[in-house]
């Protein structure tokens, strides 16, 4: 593993460690010291993959890693985004006591790793052991719809355990929780079977069209063809021949349902048996993967399949726990658990997000019983008592009461308020799903949301409007449920496609496909999906953050539904939120601290541990952790911990050129800690008493949060980081306005569009009045804040005109020196620093020859010994040579380099190093 391998490209880069296998570079590790987050190493790897750096080097690389002694290794593939980098987690006796085979298999690796102290070295031993690394390369990389993916530890160890079962010809169950990559585990395992078992064939049985399609796409990504059978007869025909090694069979749903039931399985089995030829015997060594094997009907399906394929090995896959009543039967049918990876493990490993639960109650009252009776009597004149009783029974159900317009309107108002006040919904990066009992009321919800102004929403159900739906519905008394449902659905389709309703009515499939894609890829353009049964299983949308439940659900249906919002999606998605309007967990009737009881009482308790926990308890823990983190962060600051001391610790001394860069990790840690603190506080601010805080504790924490928010702003401004961290501001401003008082966010309102340097250019000394009060308290704080901002501008702008900004840097150093020696009056210092600021930000063009009309020409003039003729000639040559995006293409970039060489050689400049220096200056000019 040679260190610091040099690469010849436009900009030199040196990877820290390169891993070669037979002379081919297959892995790279970017190392970071313990005081720096490995996130920097990940970003460095991503930068290195750009055209202007060392992209060709990554042609053969498979594992891209970053690591430090404290954090260990994070790994991803080429072009993997930072948020999807993975951490390795080895099996161990404490967490995996039942995995006897895996514990024995990994014993040598674990024994060696146990002798090592640092996590980095442990991970290197665990991941880069020769045999395991080759195995990871060979068996655990796949292209999923064009995106290269590497296996997570649970997928790798799940496969290893399954491989041993296959060698022993034992059936069994793999339980990997929702969102942990179960379908890709299927793909990797089937490929291993094909390569390692002679005459092997794999049959995947699924009841989800999405999974069926996904499996086909994944196999195509690795140049494997999977045959999707179209019927029972087609499946029997393919099993009876050797034409395909990989088959996929869909248990078709009937009556437009989203989930299969007993009837569907019966139909599937009948269809299979009807297609059997005489003396049927499947060809090859058959392995059957059964998706969603937790369902009751899987036993019946398994029984039928074992009759057809008596010698087959069956592997059941599930993402949810087995019900107590089904657990024994399922294990009898499929065999014991091969490998388990439960919800709480996945949350701990940051594979999925934790969930937060909130019950909301909308109380309903009858305004006037007498008027209801009068209206009923008037409308039912002529009906017999029996008919009236039938009508009352139909409309007197709790479902009808809960579907009253006033109640639906209150839910709509509730959701609309969340859309404006909940961070992820407000900023357009997240969206929500609303689950309701019936298609008719889903349509009513859609209409109410449209009227309330939420245009970016859609209904996705199994309903496909046709004229047959409304045949015989018209009575002349107004809209029936079917008529209204038909009208709303048709209007939704017509509005979406902007065409005649009679044409749009035939585009339900295209509509569903489009809105699902928008929901996933453009959350701001599809804020809410209203669903009944569809999309509650097998629909992966990382943007989905809130799930509003207005439907009675339990067991598998509820488990799978709430897991729609547990997918990772960037740092600002910290949890998935479940908003329950049906009090499914009975939290309103009695105090329940373990939300996994009641509606999940059909599961074994240990199987659903940690799924939903006490929101206030977890909220308090999170707030306490955030406070502890930030208090520890400022502990090293020198007493008396005033403004100057904080500035010196987080920004450094303004006269020291390296301090600003050296203290950057401290500032980044501070900014992140403050953001975490404010989010934790905001989530609990209205319920501090309920979380167990006293009045004095609440006031103390509120003041502390305000102090740290102000400190963050002061440090941002003092260091010049304020504009750079703009992406946090919308969310932070919202949180401060909502919970901490608007006056704090108004203090720096004028910095929304202007940095401190720009303010000084515009307002001169008056700009100082816009600084936070704490910074204005001392002259040194003001001076150092301005100086650090100027230093930052000089550093950032220096590549565009090194000579000019070097002079500006010298002038700044002299001013700082004079201020330190106190040889100048403070007012004079301010005058001079304002003048210098204007020179730095807006160079005086009057000091240049009149022909130098652009910044680029003036930069060339400054850096070519003030040779006006050369600067103009070189500018003309560059302008006639450069092509669009020339910096990104090697040939175009070389053409510009050669043009520069041609011109400057006429003036006696021939040294390669000097030509490269000029080329770098040209490359940094915005005019070119």
């Amino acid at each position: 593993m040679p260190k610091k391998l040099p690469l010849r490209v436009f900009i030199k880069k040196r990877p820290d460690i390169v891993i070669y296998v037979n002379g081919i570079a297959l892995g790279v590790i970017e190392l970071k010291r313990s005081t720096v987050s490995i996130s920097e190493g990940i970003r460095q790897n991503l930068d290195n993959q750009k055209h202007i750096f060392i992209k060709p080097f990554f042609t053969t690389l498979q594992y891209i890693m970053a690591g430090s002694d404290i954090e260990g290794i994070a790994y991803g593939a080429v072009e993997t985004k930072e948020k999807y980098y993975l951490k390795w987690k080895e099996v161990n006796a404490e967490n995996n006591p039942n995995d006897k085979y895996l514990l024995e298999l990994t014993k040598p690796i674990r024994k060696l790793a146990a002798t090592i102290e640092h996590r980095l070295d442990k991970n290197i031993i665990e991941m880069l052991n020769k045999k395991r690394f080759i195995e990871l390369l060979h068996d655990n990389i796949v292209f999923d719809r064009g995106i290269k993916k590497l296996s997570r530890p649970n997928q790798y160890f799940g496969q290893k355990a399954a491989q041993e079962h296959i060698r022993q010809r034992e059936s069994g169950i793999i339980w990997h929780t929702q969102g942990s990559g179960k379908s890709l585990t299927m793909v990797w395992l089937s490929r291993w079977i094909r390569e390692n078992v002679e005459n092997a064939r794999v049959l995947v049985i699924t009841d989800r069209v999405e999974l069926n399609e996904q499996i086909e796409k994944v196999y195509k990504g690795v140049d494997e063809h999977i045959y999707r059978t179209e019927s029972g007869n087609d499946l029997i025909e393919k099993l009876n021949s050797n034409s395909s090694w990989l088959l996929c069979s869909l248990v078709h749903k009937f009556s437009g349902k989203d989930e299969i039931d007993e009837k569907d399985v019966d139909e599937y089995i009948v269809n299979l048996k009807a297609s059997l030829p005489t003396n049927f015997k499947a060809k090859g060594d058959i392995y059957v993967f059964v998706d969603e094997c937790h369902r009751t009907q899987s036993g019946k399906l398994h029984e039928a399949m074992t009759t057809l394929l008596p010698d087959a090995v069956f592997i059941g896959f599930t993402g949810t726990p087995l019900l107590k009543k089904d657990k024994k039967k399922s294990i009898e049918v499929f065999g014991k658990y091969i490998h388990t990876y439960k919800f709480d493990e996945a949350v701990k490993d940051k594979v999925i997000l934790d969930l937060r639960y909130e019950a909301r109650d909308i109380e309903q009252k009858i305004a006037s019983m007498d008027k209801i009776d009068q209206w009923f009597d008037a409308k039912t004149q002529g009906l017999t008592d029996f008919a009236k009783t039938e009508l009352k029974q139909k409309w007197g159900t709790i479902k009808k009461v809960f579907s009253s317009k006033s109640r639906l309107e209150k839910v709509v108002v509730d959701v609309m308020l969340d859309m404006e006040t909940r961070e992820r919904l407000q900023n357009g990066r997240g969206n929500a799903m609303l689950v309701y009992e019936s298609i008719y009321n889903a349509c009513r919800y859609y209409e109410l949301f449209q009227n309330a102004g939420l245009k970016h929403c859609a209904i996705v159900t199994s309903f496909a409007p046709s004229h047959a739906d409304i045949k015989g519905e018209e009575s002349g008394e107004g809209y029936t449920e079917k008529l209204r449902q038909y009208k709303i659905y048709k209007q939704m389709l017509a509005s979406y496609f902007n065409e005649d309703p009679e044409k749009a009515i035939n585009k339900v499939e295209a509509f569903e496909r489009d809105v699902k894609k928008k929901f996933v890829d453009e959350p701001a353009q599809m804020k809410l999906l209203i669903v009944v049964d569809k999309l509650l299983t097998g629909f992966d949308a990382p943007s989905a953050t809130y799930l509003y439940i207005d439907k009675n659900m339990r067991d598998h249906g509820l488990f799978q539904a709430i897991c729609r919002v547990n997918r990772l999606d960037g740092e600002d998605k910290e949890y998935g939120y479940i908003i329950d309007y049906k009090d499914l967990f009975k939290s309103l009737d009695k105090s329940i601290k373990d939300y996994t009881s009641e509606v999940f009482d059909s599961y074994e308790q240990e199987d659903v541990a940690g799924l939903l926990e006490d929101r206030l308890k977890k909220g308090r823990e999170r707030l306490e952790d955030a406070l502890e983190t930030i208090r520890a962060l400022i502990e090293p600051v020198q007493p008396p911990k005033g403004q100057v001391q904080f500035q010196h610790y987080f920004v450094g001394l303004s006269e020291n050129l390296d301090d600003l860069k050296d203290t950057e990790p401290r500032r980044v840690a501070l900014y992140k800690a403050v953001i975490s603190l404010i989010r934790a506080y905001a989530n609990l601010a209205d319920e501090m008493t309920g979380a167990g805080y006293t009045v004095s504790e609440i006031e103390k924490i509120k003041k502390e949060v305000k102090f740290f928010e102000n400190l963050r702003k002061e440090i941002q401004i003092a260091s010049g980081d304020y504009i750079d961290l703009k992406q946090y501001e919308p969310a932070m401003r919202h949180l401060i306005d909502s919970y901490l008082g608007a006056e704090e966010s108004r203090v720096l309102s004028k910095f929304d569009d202007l940095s401190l340097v720009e303010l000084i250019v515009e307002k001169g000394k008056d700009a100082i009045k816009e600084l936070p009060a704490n910074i204005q308290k001392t002259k040194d704080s003001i001076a150092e804040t301005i100086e650090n901002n100027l230093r930052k501008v000089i550093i950032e702008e220096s590549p565009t005109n090194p000579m000019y900004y070097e002079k500006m840097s010298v002038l700044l150093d002299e001013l700082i020196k004079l201020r330190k020696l106190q040889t100048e009056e403070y007012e004079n210092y301010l005058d001079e620093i304002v003048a210098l600021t204007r020179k730095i930000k807006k160079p005086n063009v009057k000091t240049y020859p009149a022909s130098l009309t652009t910044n680029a020409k003036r930069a060339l003039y400054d850096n070519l010994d003030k040779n006006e003729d050369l600067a103009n000639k070189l500018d003309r040559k560059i302008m006639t040579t450069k092509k669009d995006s020339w910096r990104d293409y090697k040939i175009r970039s070389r053409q510009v380099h050669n043009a520069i060489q041609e011109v400057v050689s006429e003036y006696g400049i021939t040294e390669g190093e000097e030509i490269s220096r000029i080329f770098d200056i040209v490359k940094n000019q915005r005019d070119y």
Side-chain angles (χ1 to χ4, degrees), residues 367-379:
S368 172
M369 198 68 199
D370 291 339
K371 288 186 178 178
I372 289 175
D373 289 339
Q374 287 174 21
W375 185 90
F376 184 81
D377 290 340
K379 285 291 180 181

Side-chain angles (χ1 to χ4, degrees), residues 355-370:
L355 299 172
R356 288 291 173 267
Y357 171 77
E358 181 181 331
R360 294 181 184 175
D361 183 34
I362 296 177
E363 190 176 345
Q364 291 184 281
K365 295 177 181 177
I366 296 175
S368 172
M369 198 68 199
D370 291 339

Side-chain angles (χ1 to χ4, degrees), residues 282-300:
K283 306 298 186 291
D285 189 356
I286 308 290
Y287 295 84
V288 183
F289 293 173
V290 181
D291 185 38
E292 305 297 0
C293 71
H294 61 268
R295 293 182 177 146
T296 306
Q297 61 269 14
S298 292
K300 188 181 286 189

Side-chain angles (χ1 to χ4, degrees), residues 656-872:
N656 190 325
L657 294 175
D658 297 325
D659 270 10
L660 195 62
K661 187 66 180 172
D662 291 344
T663 54
E664 186 178 351
R666 293 177 185 173
R667 293 198 301 281
V668 171
L670 174 70
Y671 302 153
K672 285 186 176 180
V674 173
I675 289 164
S676 296
L677 173 62
I678 291 180
R679 282 181 176 153
Y681 177 75
N683 284 337
L684 205 61
D686 294 333
E687 301 171 285
M688 296 283 280
T689 306
Y693 288 105
T694 64
V695 174
S696 60
E697 286 174 330
I698 293 170
E699 192 57 33
K700 181 185 174 186
I701 290 172
K702 184 177 180 180
K703 286 179 180 176
E704 207 168 355
V705 174
K706 281 188 176 182
F707 169 78
F708 285 118
E709 169 58 10
N710 286 339
L711 175 64
R712 170 180 171 270
K713 289 177 179 176
E714 290 158 10
I715 296 301
Q716 282 181 316
I717 294 164
S719 63
D721 285 340
Y722 186 80
I723 299 298
D724 292 347
L725 295 174
K726 197 75 173 173
Q727 68 263 31
Y728 294 113
E729 291 309 313
M732 298 311 301
R733 195 176 300 113
H734 157 64
L735 292 174
I736 297 305
D737 287 348
S738 298
Y739 299 103
L740 299 181
E743 70 277 2
E744 302 303 331
S745 60
R746 282 200 298 267
V747 170
L748 293 175
S749 61
K750 293 178 182 176
F751 281 84
D752 282 352
D753 301 310
L754 296 174
S755 68
L756 175 59
V757 171
E758 288 167 328
L759 271 177
I760 292 172
V761 170
E762 185 179 291
K763 293 193 170 188
K765 286 190 287 187
D766 287 342
I768 292 165
K769 295 174 185 174
E770 307 294 339
L771 290 170
N774 281 355
I775 291 181
Q776 291 187 50
K777 283 179 182 177
T778 68
K779 293 176 180 179
D780 281 347
S781 287
I782 293 172
E784 290 194 10
T785 297
I786 296 171
E787 289 159 5
N788 281 316
N789 274 263
L790 285 180
R791 182 75 68 198
K792 186 176 178 67
V793 172
I794 289 171
I795 290 169
E796 288 174 349
E797 297 295 333
S798 186
T800 64
N801 195 336
M803 290 292 186
Y804 180 81
Y805 287 102
E806 188 178 332
K807 283 194 299 184
M808 295 299 105
S809 183
V810 170
L811 290 173
L812 178 59
D813 289 341
E814 288 175 0
L815 262 181
I816 293 171
K817 188 176 178 182
L818 291 172
R819 176 178 65 80
K820 290 282 185 181
L821 295 172
Q822 295 184 337
T823 56
E824 263 195 292
E825 287 293 325
Y826 182 65
E827 286 300 316
N828 289 339
Y829 162 79
L830 286 180
D831 287 336
E832 292 190 36
I833 201 79
V834 167
L836 179 60
T837 301
R838 286 177 170 146
K839 278 186 184 178
I840 290 171
K841 202 64 185 173
K842 293 185 177 179
N844 186 359
V845 297
K846 292 179 181 177
T847 61
Y848 290 92
S851 66
L852 304 178
T853 54
T854 66
N855 287 334
K857 288 183 183 181
R858 290 190 282 270
L860 292 174
Y861 175 77
D862 283 334
N863 290 275
L864 293 171
D865 293 330
K866 301 197 181 298
N867 188 324
E868 181 183 357
D869 182 56
L870 174 55
N872 279 311

Side-chain angles (χ1 to χ4, degrees), residues 13-270:
K13 287 282 185 175
R14 293 174 180 270
D16 289 329
I17 297 178
V18 180
I19 303 163
Y20 289 96
V21 176
N22 292 341
I24 301 171
L26 296 177
V28 64
I29 308 177
E30 195 62 49
L31 299 175
K32 290 295 164 190
R33 61 183 183 274
S34 296
T35 56
V36 176
S37 169
I38 60 172
S39 293
E40 287 198 20
I42 294 171
R43 290 173 201 145
Q44 202 167 326
N45 277 325
L46 290 169
D47 282 342
N48 288 346
Q49 293 171 51
K50 293 177 180 175
H51 285 288
I52 61 170
F53 294 117
I54 54 174
K55 186 170 183 176
F57 171 65
F58 286 81
T59 303
T60 59
L61 289 175
Q62 305 300 311
Y63 273 73
I64 318 299
M65 294 167 276
S68 72
D69 284 341
I70 290 178
E71 294 183 79
I73 282 179
Y75 66 96
V78 172
E79 294 185 352
T80 298
K81 295 177 181 177
E82 181 184 347
K83 64 183 177 182
Y84 295 126
Y85 265 67
L86 306 168
K87 291 286 191 76
W88 188 260
K89 179 188 173 186
E90 191 68 26
V91 293
N92 59 71
E94 184 180 345
N95 294 330
N96 314 91
N98 299 320
D99 293 332
K100 306 296 184 189
Y101 170 72
L102 292 177
L103 290 171
E104 186 61 32
L105 180 70
T106 61
K107 197 172 182 179
I109 290 176
R110 290 186 294 110
K111 188 176 179 181
L112 179 58
T115 64
I116 304 299
E117 181 181 355
H118 296 301
R119 283 183 66 183
L120 174 64
D121 298 330
K122 282 180 183 289
N123 284 166
I124 286 175
I125 290 167
E126 292 161 351
M127 279 189 70
L128 304 180
N129 166 279
K130 285 184 182 179
K131 184 178 178 182
R132 181 174 285 178
F133 187 55
I134 294 298
E135 198 171 43
L136 289 171
L137 293 169
H138 188 269
D139 298 333
N140 293 270
I141 300 176
V142 74
F143 277 91
D144 182 9
R145 284 168 281 190
I147 299 171
K148 195 173 195 176
K149 293 183 177 179
L150 311 177
S151 66
R152 295 168 175 150
N154 68 289
Q155 293 170 315
Y156 169 77
F157 289 116
Q159 290 174 71
K160 294 301 293 179
Q163 288 166 13
E164 179 61 14
H165 269 254
I166 288 164
R167 280 190 283 264
Q168 302 299 325
R169 298 200 64 77
E170 289 181 13
S171 297
I173 298 170
I174 294 177
W175 168 21
H176 283 186
T177 195
Q178 296 281 326
S180 62
K182 177 166 55 81
S183 56
L184 284 180
T185 302
M186 278 190 193
V187 171
W188 278 310
L189 184 57
S190 59
R191 290 185 69 203
W192 182 89
I193 289 172
R194 187 196 186 194
E195 191 168 325
N196 291 276
V197 179
E198 188 177 350
N199 202 25
R201 303 179 76 190
V202 175
L203 167 62
V204 182
I205 298 179
T206 178
D207 60 5
R208 282 161 43 196
V209 175
E210 292 93 344
L211 180 60
N212 224 1
E213 293 173 347
Q214 182 190 7
I215 287 173
E216 182 181 33
K217 287 173 182 174
V218 170
Y219 276 106
K220 282 183 177 178
V222 292
D223 293 329
E224 295 283 8
H225 175 71
I226 184 168
Y227 182 83
R228 290 171 63 191
T229 61
E230 296 177 359
S231 64
N233 183 54
D234 191 19
L235 174 60
I236 295 297
E237 191 179 300
K238 291 296 178 289
L239 288 172
N240 204 26
S241 68
N242 287 308
S243 57
S244 299
W245 79 271
L246 183 62
L247 304 167
C248 193
S249 179
L250 179 68
V251 180
H252 291 281
K253 305 174 193 62
F254 297 88
S255 307
K257 301 182 303 297
D258 194 52
E259 288 209 8
I260 65 168
D261 57 19
E262 293 279 348
K263 182 185 174 185
D264 298 324
V265 173
D266 289 341
E267 292 269 6
Y268 182 74
I269 292 169
V270 167

